[in-house]
């Protein structure tokens, strides 16, 4: 028999269909008139009209948890294609997660899907019985900054099948949102595409065709009824006015009537005794404008008894539109109880409140959830949650100070529906300014602050950060990191002030900047927040290759130390933090292996000997311990075992971003089974409530936005500018290239000269940060132009422009942003400049005198190019104020920064730290040239005299005089050494800086004399 080609088959089928259609035409026409459905709208035909490409282009692209997880994709011709000639097909073998996405072009308007009832496509079933997730992207700036709505279908069939999914089937995704979620409303008017998540566990193949929108929009999906708020608190005897509003996507008038029947029913308040019951029906006729409101009033009654809060739910039955996600409820405020009396001591208020709470209420207080996980805001009161957080990049839309305050206050309002109206404490990772907020003042990362050696400045940066954070709602900052970074390959090394515990301790003044007085008496101020010392303990000392987290090499690995090393290096900063009254402490993801204790490597979240025994009992920490993000998942056993281990170890509040219900159930079961005592729960809750009372949250739960005008203000940016300037470390300055002169013609090159995203680094707007103009501020290039407005300053990123005719070149090179283990060396990162940056250095420095600025979170290995570089500056990650870098480049301020970490010659030397027995770096710890107007004078005799003065200052406890003597001695030594930095020079030189920080001024100068003699 002759094989028919597919076009012949299709033609025959079309003729048969046409004949059938002719016979049914009157019926079909009548049906079409009745349904009035819009014509289907193609999304993807897979004929090549949409390329394989990523944003900002319109394109299809793959993704996955690691390099093996993204599927393969191809547009393949298939005889049985349901539509057209080609289909999208591929293969996969996924161990973590993987799939593909079609994002619409980010530089064009989003698509409007609101006229349709759903989305459909053809799927070539393989009968695997596995679930395949399908999600659509709603709102936001683009397809990768949108809100994800998800559903799934089962591959339980063979061959082609058209999958139809009504938009009403999609639910808000709670395990991940790229921007932390937006408004949790599927608007359908600003759609950015779709994504398919493929099944894991076994190799497979798939094929897909003809994605299109179908059907007519259902008003009940397009129209919704909302209330002005989910909770209406009112003092006893007052009247609550509940606003009921009808609205539509696209703001079109409703085309069918909407009715809302209401009645007060249920709750803890008594009808007739605590309030006057109400019932009735509100009607919104067809044609009612979107946004129209009606009001229901609920009057409460007054008695003389002191009471906890009482609830009056307002039941709404909606016809013709979506009902509110959370029905509103009126709440009669708690009153007359001792814990509400602000005149009582905090300790008495805590004891009174604790005595009234049930076990469920106590466990709720130990729970912290991610704000994007709260799809039902009623969970805040029903579970009695103690805290919410915004993880890195989890922001409101728009990302403004006003939206932040509104968001935090809305959650705080939800907490008013709980029995004792215990306010939430809201936390953010403001690790170098309020870095999640666009437009905030972004400070240099901690490694740059370490280079300043300026405790007063560190305190100022904390004050600015606290002011900007509190003005937007959060009252709790997961900072500072007081880790001691001992290996620059660590992806968090820039979060450390340095490799010397003495340096870290000296800059913990930032805690006073954040919190104010050590006794916590300033925490109720509108410009202070609770601080967090992290990550307890040893996170900066993990061994390379010891991490078992994904592809990380150092982060979350194992720190192996003797007891003496642990005490001297990693624990030392925590005692200082405790003495400064730090309100919270966060354990590390890493494990601790103390040589000789017989325990082996144990995750810090399970080390009771350290959290309870050392931190709480030995050090006297009286704040509360908060776990790290999902950290309990890394402990052995099931959820119950993990929870029991952490809570018994001394963790008081558990950060379970999306699994708060599972955690609450597990801890409840642990207590019932006797695995966790009620005394342990009471201790944890007492510590948490104490901080809430100190913050004044019971009296003022909502945000005081009066300081919001100072966010990103000139005064705040002046502090960041000073910090950026003082953080610059001049490593080499041959021929006095720096400072620049304002009449010089300057050639600027390099990847980081004009990129504010690169100069702010990770933890900026998003968790990992990103390159480009991501927030407000001044790049280094713009700062230079501001500093010398009449000078010729030309920029060529890759140094491809003509280099002739310039007096000096400035090449700004370094790293692109990363955070945590993503930035570990060996995990796709190294300590070597990119080929483009190296070429820019060679080109510019080969053509003229040049200064090279390294913008990075850690030292970069530049030894092989150092001979051709006249001036070398470690710029670290200076933040948003590039003007501060320009201030020292042009001599408005002198270079005064010193290395907070050792600058190695090669990666083979790492780890290399001050105090090592073998110590031969490129530049030693503490190194930093100066451009003071007068170079320090003197030789051996001067150094001897400075030694005498330093010893006298030490004896008299004249710290300022002692530091001044050591500083002058250091500058004299550096002047003699030049670039002839040998091991004999480096070791005593670095030791001297450590001794200076510990107040041993005489010994410091003695070490510097040894370095001088070795030069």
């Amino acid at each position: 028999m002759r094989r028919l080609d597919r076009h012949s088959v299709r033609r025959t089928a079309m003729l048969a269909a046409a004949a059938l259609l002719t016979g049914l035409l009157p019926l079909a026409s009548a049906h079409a008139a009745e349904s009035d459905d819009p014509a289907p709208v193609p999304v993807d035909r897979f004929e090549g009209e949409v390329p394989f490409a990523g944003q900002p282009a319109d394109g299809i692209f793959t993704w996955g948890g690691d390099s093996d997880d993204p599927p393969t994709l191809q547009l393949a011709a298939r005889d049985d294609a349901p539509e057209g000639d080609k289909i999208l097909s591929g293969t996969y073998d996924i161990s973590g997660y993987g799939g593909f996405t079609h994002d619409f072009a980010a530089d064009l308007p989003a698509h409007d899907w609101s006229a349709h009832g759903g989305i459909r496509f053809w799927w070539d079933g393989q009968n695997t019985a596995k679930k395949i997730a399908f999600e659509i992207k709603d709102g936001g700036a683009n397809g990768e900054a949108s809100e994800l709505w998800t559903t799934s279908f089962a591959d339980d069939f063979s061959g082609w099948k058209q999958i139809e999914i009504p938009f009403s089937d999609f639910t808000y995704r709670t395990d991940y949102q790229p921007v932390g979620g937006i408004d949790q409303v599927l608007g359908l008017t600003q759609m950015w595409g779709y994504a398919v998540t493929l099944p894991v566990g076994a190799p497979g193949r798939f094929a897909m065709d003809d994605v299109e929108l179908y059907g007519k929009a259902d008003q009940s999906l397009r129209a919704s009824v909302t209330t002005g708020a989910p909770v209406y608190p009112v003092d006893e005897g007052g009247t609550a006015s509940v606003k009921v509003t009808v609205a539509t996507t696209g703001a079109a008038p409703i085309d069918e009537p909407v009715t809302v029947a209401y009645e007060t029913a249920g709750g803890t308040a008594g009808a007739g005794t605590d309030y006057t019951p109400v019932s009735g029906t509100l009607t919104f006729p067809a044609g009612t404008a979107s946004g129209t409101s009606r009001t229901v009033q609920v009057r409460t009654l007054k008695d003389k008894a002191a009471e906890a809060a009482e609830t009056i739910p307002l039941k709404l039955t909606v016809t013709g539109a979506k009902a509110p996600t959370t029905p509103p409820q009126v709440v009669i405020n708690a009153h007359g109880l001792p814990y509400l009396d602000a005149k009582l001591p905090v300790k008495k208020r805590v004891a009174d409140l604790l005595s009234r709470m049930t076990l469920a209420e106590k466990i709720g207080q130990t729970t912290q959830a991610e704000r994007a996980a709260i799809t039902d805001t009623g969970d805040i009161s029903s579970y009695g949650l103690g805290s919410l957080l915004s993880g890195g990049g989890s922001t409101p839309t728009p990302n403004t100070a006003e939206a932040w305050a509104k968001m935090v206050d809305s959650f705080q309002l939800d907490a008013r529906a709980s029995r004792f109206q215990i306010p939430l404490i809201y936390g953010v990772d403001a690790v170098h300014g309020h870095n999640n907020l666009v437009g905030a003042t972004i400070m240099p990362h901690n490694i740059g602050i370490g280079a300043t050696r300026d405790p007063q400045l560190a305190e100022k940066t904390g004050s600015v950060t606290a002011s900007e954070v509190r003005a937007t709602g959060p009252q709790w900052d997961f900072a500072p990191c007081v880790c001691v970074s001992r290996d620059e390959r660590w992806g968090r090394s820039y979060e450390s002030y340095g490799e010397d515990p003495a340096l870290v301790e000296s800059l913990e003044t930032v805690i006073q900047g954040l919190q104010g007085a050590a006794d916590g008496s300033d925490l109720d101020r509108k410009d202070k927040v609770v601080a967090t010392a992290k990550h307890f303990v040893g996170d900066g000392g993990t061994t390379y290759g010891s991490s078992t987290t994904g592809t990380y090499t150092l982060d979350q690995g194992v720190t192996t130390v003797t007891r003496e090393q642990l005490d001297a290096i990693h624990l030392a900063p925590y005692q200082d933090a405790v003495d400064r009254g730090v309100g919270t402490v966060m354990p590390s993801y890493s494990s601790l292996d103390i040589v000789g204790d017989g325990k082996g490597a144990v995750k810090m979240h399970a080390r009771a000997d350290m959290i309870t025994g050392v931190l709480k009992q030995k050090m006297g920490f009286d704040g509360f311990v908060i776990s790290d993000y999902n950290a309990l998942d890394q402990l052995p056993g099931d959820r119950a075992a993990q929870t029991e281990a952490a809570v018994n170890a001394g963790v008081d509040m558990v950060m379970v971003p999306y699994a708060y219900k599972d955690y609450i159930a597990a801890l409840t079961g642990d207590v019932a089974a006797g695995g966790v005592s009620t005394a342990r729960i009471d201790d944890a809750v007492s510590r948490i409530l104490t901080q809430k009372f100190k913050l004044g949250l019971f009296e003022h739960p909502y945000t005081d936005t009066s300081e919001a005008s100072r966010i990103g203000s000139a005064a705040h940016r002046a502090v960041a500018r000073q910090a950026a300037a003082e953080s610059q470390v001049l490593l080499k300055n041959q021929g006095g290239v720096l400072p620049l002169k304002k009449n010089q013609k300057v050639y600027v090159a390099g990847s980081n000269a004009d990129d504010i995203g690169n100069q702010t680094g990770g933890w900026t707007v998003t968790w990992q940060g990103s390159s480009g103009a991501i927030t407000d501020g001044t790049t280094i290039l713009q700062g230079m132009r501001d500093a010398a407005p009449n000078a010729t300053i030309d920029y060529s990123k890759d140094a491809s422009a003509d280099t002739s005719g310039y007096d000096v070149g400035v090449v700004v090179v370094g790293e692109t942003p990363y955070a945590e283990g993503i930035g570990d060396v060996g995990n796709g990162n190294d300590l070597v400049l990119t080929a483009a940056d190296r070429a820019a250095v060679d080109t510019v420095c080969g053509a003229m005198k040049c200064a090279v600025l390294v913008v990075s979170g850690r030292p970069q290995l530049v030894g092989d190019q150092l001979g051709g570089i006249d001036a070398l500056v470690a710029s670290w990650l200076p933040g948003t104020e590039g003007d501060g870098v320009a201030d020292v480049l042009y001599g408005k301020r002198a270079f005064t920064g010193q290395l907070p970490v050792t600058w190695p010659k090669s990666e083979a030397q790492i780890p290399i730290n001050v105090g090592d027995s073998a110590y031969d770096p490129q530049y030693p710890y503490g190194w930093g040239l100066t451009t003071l107007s007068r170079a320090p004078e003197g030789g051996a005799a001067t150094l001897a005299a400075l030694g005498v003065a330093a010893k006298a200052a030490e004896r008299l406890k004249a710290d300022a005089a002692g530091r001044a003597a050591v500083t002058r001695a250091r500058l004299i030594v550096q002047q003699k050494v030049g670039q002839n930095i040998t091991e004999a020079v480096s070791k005593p030189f670095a030791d001297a800086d450590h001794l200076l920080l510990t107040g041993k001024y005489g010994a410091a100068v003695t070490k510097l004399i040894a370095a001088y003699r070795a030069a």
Side-chain angles (χ1 to χ4, degrees):
M1 180 177 176
R2 182 172 65 87
R3 179 180 182 273
L4 295 175
D5 65 64
R6 59 190 172 116
H7 295 289
S8 298
V9 172
R10 280 193 187 160
R11 184 172 181 275
T12 302
M14 288 173 65
L15 289 171
L20 179 62
L21 183 61
T22 301
L24 298 176
L25 189 58
L27 179 61
S29 298
H31 178 72
E34 284 179 9
S35 67
D36 198 26
D37 281 0
V41 173
V43 176
D44 270 330
R45 297 182 62 238
F46 302 121
E47 299 298 309
E49 77 280 7
V50 178
F52 292 122
Q55 294 227 306
D58 183 14
I60 300 168
F61 60 93
T62 62
W63 39 266
D66 57 40
S67 59
D68 296 328
D69 282 350
T72 62
L73 293 183
Q74 61 176 335
L75 299 177
R78 280 264 295 260
D79 287 347
D80 62 345
E83 189 276 336
D85 294 324
K86 297 178 180 178
I87 51 90
L88 178 71
S89 65
T91 59
Y92 59 89
D93 185 3
I94 302 168
S95 58
Y97 63 89
F100 59 92
T101 289
H102 177 187
D103 276 353
F104 301 144
D107 55 357
L108 294 175
H111 296 204
D112 186 347
W113 293 359
S114 62
H116 293 272
I119 189 168
R120 65 190 179 195
F121 50 89
W122 289 89
W123 191 265
D124 187 14
Q126 304 301 307
N127 206 19
T128 63
K130 292 190 175 183
K131 293 282 190 181
I132 297 168
F134 187 90
E135 63 191 22
I136 55 178
K137 303 186 168 198
D138 179 65
N142 55 60
E144 296 308 288
S146 59
E147 197 165 69
L148 304 182
W149 290 75
T150 187
T151 188
S152 65
F153 63 94
D155 185 358
D156 55 2
F157 55 92
S158 297
W160 288 108
K161 177 180 177 181
Q162 191 173 46
I163 308 295
E164 290 194 343
I165 307 175
F167 288 133
S168 57
D169 283 1
F170 286 92
T171 59
Y172 179 81
R173 185 170 169 180
T174 57
D175 60 333
Y176 169 73
Q177 287 290 342
V179 290
I182 301 172
D183 57 6
Q184 299 184 20
V185 174
L186 182 56
L188 296 173
T189 58
Q190 290 185 299
M191 303 302 294
W192 292 105
Y194 66 88
V196 175
T197 302
L198 296 163
V200 301
R205 62 185 178 89
F206 68 92
M208 183 181 189
D209 199 13
D210 191 25
V211 184
E212 65 180 13
L213 308 177
Y214 76 94
K216 180 183 177 182
D218 180 355
Q219 178 174 286
S220 65
L221 178 65
R222 187 170 58 85
S224 60
V225 168
T226 61
T227 57
V231 177
Y232 287 82
V234 60
D235 288 339
E236 189 181 56
T239 298
S241 297
V242 180
K243 186 167 71 171
V244 180
T245 303
V246 65
T248 63
T249 57
I254 58 175
D255 49 22
E256 298 173 15
V258 173
T259 60
V260 182
Y262 63 88
E263 65 172 325
T264 48
T268 57
T273 56
D274 294 313
Y275 69 96
T276 302
V278 296
S279 63
T281 300
L282 304 175
T283 301
F284 299 88
T288 299
S290 177
T292 300
S293 299
R294 306 273 192 272
T295 300
V296 176
Q297 292 194 324
V298 180
R299 186 167 66 90
T300 67
L301 306 175
K302 196 165 187 176
D303 59 33
K304 297 181 180 180
E307 294 174 301
E310 297 172 306
T311 58
I312 310 168
L314 186 64
K315 180 182 177 182
L316 303 180
T317 303
V318 179
T319 303
K322 285 186 296 184
T325 303
T326 304
Q329 54 183 329
V330 175
V331 177
I332 304 172
N333 289 326
H335 54 279
L337 300 174
Y339 77 89
L340 294 170
D341 186 353
K343 295 178 182 178
L344 290 178
V346 167
K347 191 172 183 179
K348 286 189 175 182
R349 298 179 74 183
V350 170
D352 177 69
L353 178 52
L354 190 70
S355 70
R356 300 173 186 277
M357 296 170 70
T358 65
L359 175 63
E361 288 167 330
K362 293 173 183 178
I363 288 176
Q365 283 300 299
T366 72
T367 310
Q368 183 183 63
E370 156 64 39
R371 42 80 67 175
I374 306 298
T375 55
D376 182 350
T377 56
D379 282 358
I380 292 174
S381 59
S382 60
Y383 287 96
L385 300 182
S387 178
L388 296 182
L389 82 148
S390 279
S394 178
T395 63
T397 301
N399 188 355
T400 63
E402 182 181 12
W404 270 90
K406 183 178 178 181
M407 174 187 72
V408 174
D409 285 354
S410 70
F411 290 132
Q412 204 68 277
L413 177 64
D414 294 323
R416 303 297 290 171
S418 62
R419 194 162 65 111
F420 296 114
Q421 298 183 306
I422 303 173
L424 294 165
I425 181 171
Y426 198 103
V428 291
D429 285 280
V431 298
H432 62 141
H434 193 2
N435 42 256
N436 281 305
L437 173 65
V438 171
T441 307
I442 305 301
M443 303 293 171
H445 267 296
N446 284 359
I447 195 168
I449 302 299
T452 70
R453 297 297 200 280
D454 190 336
Q456 290 72 34
L457 178 59
E459 184 171 347
K460 287 182 183 178
T461 65
S463 294
V464 169
T465 299
S467 172
E468 297 197 1
V469 168
R470 191 76 182 253
T472 62
Q475 318 89 9
W476 182 10
D477 185 2
F478 304 134
C481 186
V482 296
C483 55
V484 182
S485 176
R486 305 292 283 181
D487 191 325
E488 282 66 57
R489 293 170 294 186
W490 186 35
R492 302 194 81 140
S493 57
Y494 63 74
E495 293 188 55
S496 170
Y497 292 110
E499 69 188 32
D500 183 354
L503 174 59
V504 174
E505 289 178 68
S506 73
L507 297 170
E508 289 184 65
T509 49
V510 69
I511 293 172
Q512 262 55 68
L514 292 167
Q515 292 194 167
D519 63 359
S521 59
D522 291 333
L523 283 174
D524 61 350
R525 285 171 39 177
K526 60 187 176 182
D527 61 348
K528 295 299 175 188
V529 295
V530 172
T532 307
K534 65 182 188 183
H535 304 90
F536 187 83
V537 59
D539 52 337
T542 54
T543 302
Y544 189 86
S546 65
S547 180
T548 56
T549 300
T551 54
Y552 295 5
T553 57
L554 271 158
D555 194 33
Q556 305 183 24
V558 180
T559 298
T560 303
V561 287
T562 65
R563 176 69 66 178
E564 292 74 19
Q565 290 170 328
L566 177 66
D567 291 347
I569 297 173
H570 299 290
L571 272 174
Y574 286 93
Q575 185 64 67
D576 188 72
V578 170
D579 293 343
R580 290 182 176 278
V582 72
T584 66
V585 169
M586 181 183 291
S588 176
Y589 284 118
S590 58
S591 300
L592 181 63
D593 185 358
I594 302 175
V595 177
D597 75 350
K599 297 179 184 291
V602 179
K603 284 284 185 180
M604 274 306 310
H605 280 78
R607 289 210 67 139
D609 60 327
M610 300 303 301
I611 297 174
T612 298
V614 174
L615 178 65
K616 290 182 174 180
Q617 295 175 353
K618 183 179 178 181
M619 291 185 175
F621 173 62
D622 60 3
F624 71 87
V625 174
I626 171 69
S627 80
D628 210 335
Y629 196 98
N630 274 336
L632 268 62
D633 291 353
Q634 298 187 9
L635 301 182
D638 59 13
R639 175 72 66 179
Q642 294 164 340
T643 302
E644 180 178 330
V647 173
N648 282 338
V651 175
D652 301 304
M653 181 180 283
V654 179
M655 191 186 294
V656 272
Y658 292 93
Y660 58 92
K661 296 177 184 177
D662 294 339
Y663 160 76
I664 288 171
L667 184 54
T668 302
D670 286 337
V671 175
V676 176
S677 69
T678 55
R680 172 76 269 269
I681 300 297
D682 286 352
D683 173 58
V685 177
S686 294
R687 290 168 176 269
I688 294 164
L689 292 177
T690 296
Q691 296 302 318
K692 291 186 176 184
F693 279 118
K694 286 183 176 180
L695 282 162
L697 294 178
F698 283 82
E699 290 70 50
H700 304 288
Y702 303 116
T703 306
D704 183 337
T705 60
S706 60
E707 296 287 302
S709 61
R710 300 181 64 193
I711 295 171
S713 65
H716 284 187
R717 291 186 184 276
V719 174
R721 180 172 181 166
Q722 179 187 353
E726 290 190 23
S727 72
Q728 303 300 293
V729 180
L730 183 59
L731 299 173
K732 180 181 180 180
N733 195 22
Q734 187 172 310
V737 170
L738 296 177
L740 302 173
K741 299 176 179 59
K742 293 185 178 181
N743 61 356
Q744 287 178 310
K745 187 176 182 181
V746 185
Y747 186 105
V748 182
S751 60
N752 288 349
D754 196 31
D755 193 312
I756 202 160
N758 287 356
Q759 77 183 41
T760 51
W763 289 108
T764 307
V765 182
T766 59
W767 173 42
Q768 290 294 315
S770 59
S771 301
I774 61 173
T775 190
D776 303 333
T778 305
T779 66
I780 293 172
L781 175 64
Q782 186 58 52
M784 293 175 65
R785 288 173 172 164
D786 292 344
N790 298 319
T792 298
I793 301 175
D794 295 325
Y795 176 55
S796 174
K797 182 176 180 178
D798 62 357
S800 59
D802 185 12
T803 57
S804 60
Y806 291 90
D807 299 311
V808 65
V810 175
V811 192
V812 189
V813 295
E815 295 185 304
T816 53
Y818 55 80
E820 300 192 39
I822 302 296
D824 282 355
V825 168
N827 187 24
N829 299 277
D830 54 41
L831 299 178
V832 180
L833 299 178
T834 65
D837 275 349
R838 287 177 59 82
V841 170
D842 288 341
T843 299
V844 176
C845 295
M848 64 193 81
K849 291 181 178 179
C850 74
V852 173
L853 278 60
V854 181
V855 173
S856 64
R858 52 200 170 192
Q860 301 293 286
L861 303 174
V862 296
D864 62 334
Q865 291 183 290
L866 192 53
I869 297 171
D870 298 296
L872 179 64
V873 179
S875 287
W876 310 114
L877 298 169
T880 51
E881 307 313 299
D883 284 327
V885 180
D887 285 342
V888 292
L889 289 178
Y890 276 96
K892 183 176 181 179
R893 292 178 181 269
F895 277 96
T896 56
Q898 295 175 249
L899 284 180
V901 294
T902 301
W903 196 284
K905 287 181 177 177
S906 69
E907 192 169 336
Q909 287 186 319
I910 303 173
I912 181 171
N913 295 289
V914 57
D916 288 353
S917 56
Y919 189 76
D920 186 22
Q922 193 81 62
Y923 294 102
Y925 170 78
W927 186 266
L929 306 177
T930 187
T931 51
L932 291 168
S933 56
R934 291 185 61 186
E937 299 174 352
T942 304
L943 287 173
L946 287 171
V948 172
K951 289 177 182 176
E954 184 178 336
R955 186 173 61 254
L956 297 171
K957 300 188 183 303
D959 292 331
R963 288 193 295 270
V966 178
T967 297
R968 186 177 175 193
R970 178 177 62 83
L971 294 175
I972 290 171
V973 172
Q974 286 182 160
Q975 188 175 47
K976 181 183 180 186
V977 170
Q979 292 293 297
N980 185 30
I981 304 172
T982 64
E983 182 173 9
V985 168
S986 293
K987 185 164 177 51
F989 185 94
D991 289 343
D993 200 54
H994 169 73
L995 290 166
L996 163 66
L997 289 163
T998 58
K1000 298 174 182 177
Y1001 308 123
V1005 175
T1006 299
K1007 288 287 186 181
L1008 287 168
I1009 291 172
Y1012 184 87
R1013 289 171 178 166

